[in-house]
Amino acid sequence: MNWDLMNDGVGNPKNCKSLLYSHVTPPNMISGIRANAEIAVRAGFKHIQFF
C-alpha cells in the first residue's frame, strides 16, 4: 500500500502494511509477547492501572 505525505514533499511515496485484521494475527505487541490482541488489551489495563 503506497501513500504520499505532503509534509515531506510530493513524489516520494511510503510503503506500509495494512493493519486490517491485524488484531487476529498473533503474536501481538512490539516484541510479540502476547498471544492475541484481547490478552494484550487486558494486560494493558491491568499493568497501567486504568482498570
Side-chain angles (χ1 to χ4, degrees):
M1 181 176 353
N2 289 324
W3 59 314
D4 198 358
L5 298 173
M6 298 299 287
N7 64 349
D8 63 355
V10 177
N12 50 356
K14 309 298 185 283
N15 190 356
C16 67
K17 293 183 178 184
S18 173
L19 295 176
L20 185 64
Y21 299 118
S22 64
H23 65 283
V24 294
T25 55
N28 292 115
M29 311 294 285
I30 190 74
S31 57
I33 60 171
R34 305 282 183 225
N36 59 39
E38 182 180 342
I39 293 172
V41 170
R42 289 182 188 270
F45 280 123
K46 178 181 176 183
H47 294 295
I48 61 175
Q49 299 174 353
F50 284 170
F51 193 53

